[in-house]
Amino acid sequence: MLPFKSLIQLDKALSTPIFVQLSNQLGRLIRQGTLTPGQRLPGTRQLAEWLDLNRQTIVAAYDEGLAQGWLESRLGSGTYVAAHFPEIEPQLLPLDNDVISLESKQPGYHVESLDFLARPVLTNHSGLRLDDGFPDSRLAPMEELSRAYRSYFRWGNPQQHFGYGDTKGHLLLREQLSLHLNETRGLRTTTDNVLITRGSIMGLHLVCQVLLRPGDMVVTGETTWAGATMNIQKTGASLITVPVDQHGIDVDRLDDLCRKQPVRMVYVTPHHHYPTTVTLRADRRVRLLQLAEQYGFVILEDDYDYDFHFLSRPILPLASADRKGMVVYVGSLTKSVAPAFRVGYVVAPTTLIDELARLRRIIDRQGDQMLEFAIGQLFKTGDLKRHFRKALRTYHARRDHFCDLLTTELANVVTFTKPDGGMAVWTTFEPGTNMEALAQRAGRKGLFLSSGVSHNPPGQRLNSTRLGFASSTEDELERSVAILKQVIAMGQ
């Protein structure tokens, strides 16, 4: 007879009922081969006596095992391990200190780890921060959004509201977004040109998966957004970089590349280049569109912070001047409202939108219908446009105050150019500054900032990082710069 009393360990302090614990452990003994197919189990009275349990607990555990298919009952004979299981070689029971929890155990199959996907996840840190350029969620129109959410439950047919929706996104948001983009960005779109996604990163992923194949050549700036390059590399496409200067991506170097080899796509952030914030000059914009038409490559335009430009009107996107359908325009409301609201969009000719929607269906059947409806309502009522104007004034003042602080407090140790827009200042520290150590010292003082190492092109140390100002009040910016000044002094 098996030593059931030592094989089965029950804990009455757990929230899991005892009969479930017992049934689970009998199943484990079967899977391990300790209990073999067709083996007769002890009677309920006998096992109850051995385990010091009520007989009804044993009956319930056996019933559970019968329901799960581990056990079978033979009339007049008793309860047995199901005979249909294959023979399993009994395994030695591990010692307590050898037991590996499922959470940390390596799988029994190979998982390829891709180095280019190893990128820290940015989160909103508590305390002071000079982040990557996040919005201030405290400014988000929460009351208006709450009202719009509530109206969703009062409007229309509940069957329609809480069933499946359009893979391309909620019609109201696509209608309102199309109007907004046509009005503010000079686009010429209809709802059929718009796909709603969960943030711009999802839009980039879908575009790359549909348009790129292994071996395709994709051009980016030497400094660019890692979220885009990771999606490009995951398709098997090859990355080529060209320099970025104070006027944006070098289109002459791009022309040279195109003469030598076919280029499938060019990824750009022309409004405020990421990470340096420079704006692509007008003549280069014209030339880039001409090159796309001449060589037939796709321009993937990521316009991540269009709504925040502080010098008169924002520069219109490349997509507004696209006459041949060469530009795929990707944007997001994440930077405009708050990162928690995962609403992005792709604008492109309908043929591509239809294909992106088909792919999206097997990844994420549809977006958040309630959120998309609520955001659409905020566009329709004008609340979101009022929020943009308020946030623009606030971020403009914070940019000016922050740049004044950098000039007065850190003039001898950092250099920067005041950005025309956006939410961060591209800041270069003195040569020899250990940026990783600087970020660590700041963190110990309660200030989060990025080391900027992820922005370094291969083989280069830029000693630069993005210092976000939008998410902090002017008082918080003053305290942040004071800490930064202190930790810089500590490293000298």
Side-chain angles (χ1 to χ4, degrees):
M1 294 297 294
L2 291 172
F4 282 94
K5 192 170 181 65
S6 60
L7 288 174
I8 294 175
Q9 303 294 321
L10 305 174
D11 187 350
K12 295 182 180 180
L14 296 177
S15 60
T16 305
I18 293 296
F19 83 91
V20 176
Q21 293 185 45
L22 176 55
S23 176
N24 289 342
Q25 293 195 39
L26 289 173
R28 175 176 56 82
L29 293 174
I30 294 170
R31 292 191 300 272
Q32 290 175 340
T34 306
L35 294 174
T36 58
Q39 181 175 346
R40 187 178 186 276
L41 296 181
T44 55
R45 286 188 178 86
Q46 190 176 35
L47 188 56
E49 182 180 340
W50 289 345
L51 299 179
D52 193 25
L53 295 173
N54 186 287
R55 178 172 173 260
Q56 292 305 312
T57 301
I58 307 300
V59 171
Y62 279 6
D63 286 344
E64 181 70 15
L66 291 169
Q68 295 291 337
W70 298 112
L71 307 179
E72 61 186 25
S73 179
R74 301 179 187 175
L75 186 62
S77 179
T79 304
Y80 293 78
V81 176
H84 60 265
F85 285 109
E87 291 287 345
I88 301 173
E89 187 71 25
Q91 302 294 311
L92 292 175
L93 292 176
L95 299 174
D96 288 345
N97 58 0
D98 290 334
V99 175
I100 302 174
S101 67
L102 182 63
E103 290 80 4
S104 62
K105 189 176 182 180
Q106 290 294 324
Y109 46 83
H110 174 67
V111 177
E112 183 181 7
S113 180
L114 301 175
D115 291 341
F116 63 82
L117 295 182
R119 175 172 171 248
V121 176
L122 294 176
T123 58
N124 273 40
H125 294 260
S126 58
L128 298 174
R129 68 186 70 84
L130 296 174
D131 51 40
D132 190 62
F134 297 157
D136 191 341
S137 300
R138 294 168 293 189
L139 300 179
M142 297 299 185
E143 285 298 324
E144 295 85 348
L145 188 62
S146 177
R147 287 198 298 270
Y149 259 107
R150 290 196 296 271
S151 71
Y152 186 81
F153 294 91
R154 299 192 299 266
W155 171 76
N157 183 351
Q159 286 281 61
Q160 178 184 356
H161 271 354
F162 299 103
Y164 286 114
D166 194 324
T167 308
K168 295 179 182 178
H170 198 287
L171 180 60
L172 174 64
L173 179 55
R174 287 192 292 133
E175 288 173 343
Q176 293 299 317
L177 193 56
S178 175
L179 292 172
H180 175 72
L181 295 175
N182 293 346
E183 175 186 330
T184 62
R185 288 147 169 83
L187 304 187
R188 295 168 301 282
T189 67
T190 69
T191 55
D192 292 333
N193 298 118
V194 180
L195 173 74
I196 305 299
T197 61
R198 294 183 188 267
S200 59
I201 188 72
M202 182 181 186
L204 290 170
H205 176 77
L206 293 173
V207 171
C208 290
Q209 290 296 319
V210 168
L211 294 181
L212 297 180
R213 296 292 178 268
D216 283 346
M217 294 295 175
V218 180
V219 179
T220 72
E222 278 185 342
T223 55
T224 192
W225 185 44
T229 58
M230 288 191 298
N231 272 292
I232 292 166
Q233 290 175 276
K234 189 66 178 68
T235 67
S238 299
L239 272 173
I240 308 175
T241 63
V242 294
V244 176
D245 58 24
Q246 68 272 25
H247 303 300
I249 193 170
D250 188 335
V251 292
D252 290 332
R253 290 288 291 275
L254 173 61
D255 189 8
D256 292 340
L257 278 174
C258 291
R259 292 175 188 276
K260 298 173 184 175
Q261 57 191 311
V263 170
R264 173 59 171 164
M265 178 183 289
V266 175
Y267 170 77
V268 287
T269 51
H271 196 224
H272 303 127
H273 175 73
Y274 186 95
T276 66
T277 75
V278 300
T279 299
L280 186 62
R281 199 170 60 190
D283 62 307
R284 295 191 183 187
R285 288 166 174 265
V286 173
R287 183 70 176 133
L288 180 57
L289 287 168
Q290 290 173 341
L291 292 176
E293 294 177 18
Q294 179 181 350
Y295 294 108
F297 59 73
V298 181
I299 298 175
L300 180 50
E301 180 176 16
D302 183 355
D303 207 357
Y304 63 96
D305 63 356
Y306 180 89
D307 293 301
F308 303 115
H309 193 78
F310 308 128
L311 294 182
S312 63
R313 286 180 54 84
I315 308 299
L316 291 178
L318 294 167
S320 68
D322 180 23
R323 297 293 183 267
K324 301 292 185 179
M326 309 306 296
V327 179
V328 179
Y329 185 71
V330 177
S332 170
L333 297 178
T334 294
K335 288 289 195 297
S336 303
V337 184
F341 301 127
R342 305 304 303 163
V343 177
Y345 50 87
V346 180
V347 177
T350 55
T351 298
L352 177 59
I353 293 296
D354 291 343
E355 193 62 29
L356 295 174
R358 294 185 191 105
L359 176 59
R360 191 258 177 83
R361 185 174 181 179
I362 66 169
I363 298 171
D364 181 27
R365 170 58 178 80
Q366 64 190 51
D368 185 335
Q369 292 282 293
M370 287 181 281
L371 175 60
E372 291 176 11
F373 170 84
I375 296 294
Q377 280 288 89
L378 295 190
F379 270 119
K380 189 174 182 179
T381 61
D383 287 325
L384 203 53
K385 294 178 182 179
R386 283 189 286 274
H387 164 70
F388 292 157
R389 291 193 293 269
K390 175 184 175 183
L392 179 64
R393 291 192 300 270
T394 302
Y395 296 158
H396 192 170
R398 291 178 182 179
R399 180 208 65 169
D400 291 345
H401 188 63
F402 183 58
C403 290
D404 288 343
L405 288 169
L406 292 179
T407 300
T408 57
E409 301 297 324
L410 300 175
N412 297 326
V413 290
V414 302
T415 58
F416 68 94
T417 298
K418 180 185 285 191
D420 294 338
M423 300 181 181
V425 177
W426 179 246
T427 309
T428 301
F429 291 73
E430 287 185 309
T433 302
N434 186 323
M435 297 297 292
E436 296 97 324
L438 177 67
Q440 291 171 1
R441 291 197 302 272
R444 289 193 290 269
K445 293 287 185 180
L447 171 65
F448 168 80
L449 60 88
S450 168
S451 67
V453 172
S454 62
H455 302 312
N456 290 337
Q460 299 183 47
R461 288 186 64 90
L462 301 179
N463 271 24
S464 301
T465 192
R466 286 168 62 88
L467 299 181
F469 56 82
S471 62
S472 301
T473 65
E474 294 186 6
D475 175 68
E476 289 166 343
L477 290 171
E478 290 171 8
R479 288 187 283 144
S480 298
V481 171
I483 292 175
L484 183 56
K485 183 177 181 179
Q486 181 183 358
V487 297
I488 289 174
M490 290 168 58
Q492 293 177 338

